[in-house]
Amino acid sequence: MQKLAIGIIGCGGIARDRHLPTLQSLNDEVTITAVQDINIDVAKAVATEFDIETVVTNYHALFPLVDAVMICTPNKFHAEIAIAALDAGVHVFCEKPMAMNQYECEQMIDAKNRAGKCLAIGYHYRFTDAAQTAKKAIDNGVVGDSLVTRVQALRRRKVPGWGVFTNKTLQGGGSLIDYGCHLLDLSLWLLNDAKPVEIIGKTYNRLSKSPTQINDWGPFDHEQFEVDDHVTSYITFEDGSSLQFECSWSANIKEDTRTLSISGVDGGINLYPFEIYQPRFGTFFVEQAYAAHDEKIAAQRQTHNFIRSCLGKETLVVQPEQAQNINKIIDAIYRSDDESASVRIN
């Protein structure tokens, strides 16, 4: 069987905890050839831990050794590295968000088109059982024309204080660009790529900048906190439907909350827990199903889809143009907050 030779760029937590174990579980289809990190000691430690033979100091040195790369760096470097890899004739898997803004995304897509290679973006929520089941139900007419989508991705006092998550220069934003983007991508996918036309948004970080911190994920420097920890938005689409959106790393709420529900003309659907609501036979039906949100399984499915797409056996579930649309929405939310006004999207 043909194997895909793959290299890892960036050896932080997301590479160690998700991508490298997932790749090793698919070792009948992929070989982890080499790793690179700006911190050579970190790269060497990861290579030892996962029994990877080659460590390089410059990501350009990876390209002649591999068929594909996984980019697991801070957001600031996504576009730069992806474009270089694609121009070198290498397939690219890039962690979410696709880039710092929609214009960098456009440059990445141009490079993908020049190279004729795969460019996948790590929106793995689409690969959960809950998402896959919802997509099938919606495509089979359970909801009909959508009217209102409600999304909440709320964590109670869980700021990721490690790494560079709170550094605006390196990440571009906080809870929205790191966490909320997952639910935005999943929503747009379930809505069959509905086209946003107007967005109003508001961002907050007062809680995480206060000196007295309670944080379930450990201490962090409130004086160096530069990004949003809570975001709200209202999005209207070309078809007249709307999306109410809220995400947070650090909310004063009872417990973490994940919500994605769609109310349509013919019915409604909720993903967490999975339920379908429909009026039938003169009464109202509530149907339940077991459809889990297992991110470990989702990561395996996502990686398998990338590998098989690179080998010409499948089509990418997450297309880069779809990921660029999420960056457009993120850009508009931040701009709306900056300007204290709604933002039109052409």
Side-chain angles (χ1 to χ4, degrees), residues 75 95-98 121-123 125 151 153 174-188 245 247 323 326-327 329-330:
N75 302 340
E95 254 303 333
K96 60 76 198 168
M98 186 172 176
I121 311 301
Y123 284 118
Y125 279 26
V151 173
S175 61
L176 172 59
I177 206 166
D178 168 63
Y179 179 38
C181 64
H182 276 302
L183 274 294
L184 282 175
D185 173 76
L186 181 52
S187 299
L188 269 289
F245 172 80
C247 72
I326 303 308
N327 272 89
I329 292 173
I330 291 170

Side-chain angles (χ1 to χ4, degrees), residues 45-262:
V46 166
T48 300
E49 180 181 354
F50 291 93
D51 195 24
I52 300 166
E53 185 174 340
T54 303
V55 176
V56 299
T57 57
N58 187 304
Y59 65 77
H60 289 279
L62 264 182
F63 303 151
L65 307 176
V66 299
D67 303 309
V69 294
M70 278 192 162
I71 300 173
C72 306
T73 66
N75 302 340
K76 178 179 174 63
F77 308 108
H78 285 185
E80 168 194 323
I81 298 171
I83 292 167
L86 290 163
D87 284 343
V90 173
H91 300 289
V92 171
F93 177 96
C94 181
E95 254 303 333
K96 60 76 198 168
M98 186 172 176
M100 293 283 275
N101 55 60
Q102 61 178 302
Y103 306 109
E104 289 185 353
C105 295
E106 185 176 346
Q107 293 169 6
M108 292 166 69
I109 291 170
D110 288 343
K112 182 265 298 184
N113 291 336
R114 287 195 304 270
K117 296 294 181 178
C118 290
L119 172 58
I121 311 301
Y123 284 118
H124 66 281
Y125 279 26
R126 294 194 193 188
F127 294 86
T128 62
D129 285 345
Q132 296 280 315
T133 306
K135 183 66 171 172
K136 292 173 185 175
I138 291 168
D139 288 348
N140 276 275
V142 163
V143 171
D145 292 337
S146 62
L147 297 173
V148 178
T149 300
R150 303 168 189 86
V151 173
Q152 284 187 312
L154 304 178
R155 292 175 180 159
R156 189 191 74 166
R157 300 300 186 107
K158 289 184 174 67
V159 173
W162 60 87
V164 297
F165 284 99
T166 64
N167 185 313
K168 188 171 184 179
T169 299
L170 293 178
Q171 291 294 93
S175 61
L176 172 59
I177 206 166
D178 168 63
Y179 179 38
C181 64
H182 276 302
L183 274 294
L184 282 175
D185 173 76
L186 181 52
S187 299
L188 269 289
W189 183 58
L190 294 177
L191 294 171
N192 293 314
D193 299 316
K195 296 180 180 179
V197 293
E198 188 171 16
I199 295 174
I200 187 165
K202 183 66 181 174
T203 74
Y204 306 88
N205 66 7
R206 184 174 173 181
L207 198 61
S208 295
K209 289 181 74 66
S210 62
T212 304
Q213 294 295 327
I214 300 174
N215 193 54
D216 290 345
W217 284 356
F220 62 93
D221 187 349
H222 70 279
E223 294 182 349
Q224 299 299 316
F225 193 92
E226 302 173 341
V227 295
D228 52 276
D229 65 10
H230 204 138
V231 173
T232 59
S233 181
Y234 188 81
I235 303 167
T236 54
F237 297 99
E238 190 176 67
D239 61 7
S241 66
S242 60
L243 190 155
Q244 303 169 9
F245 172 80
E246 183 182 14
C247 72
S248 181
W249 277 342
S250 189
N252 282 321
I253 54 177
K254 180 180 179 181
E255 58 189 3
D256 294 357
T257 300
R258 183 192 298 119
T259 301
L260 199 169
S261 68
I262 303 173

Side-chain angles (χ1 to χ4, degrees), residues 36 38 45 149 190 195 205 218 241 248 278 284 302 319 325 343:
Q36 186 271 338
I38 192 170
T149 300
L190 294 177
K195 296 180 180 179
N205 66 7
S241 66
S248 181
Q278 280 190 316
F284 200 77
Q302 172 183 251
Q319 292 291 319
N325 285 335
V343 172

Side-chain angles (χ1 to χ4, degrees), residues 324-341:
Q324 181 187 22
N325 285 335
I326 303 308
N327 272 89
K328 287 182 180 179
I329 292 173
I330 291 170
D331 290 353
I333 291 172
Y334 285 142
R335 180 181 162 198
S336 175
D337 180 73
D338 287 342
E339 299 178 358
S340 297

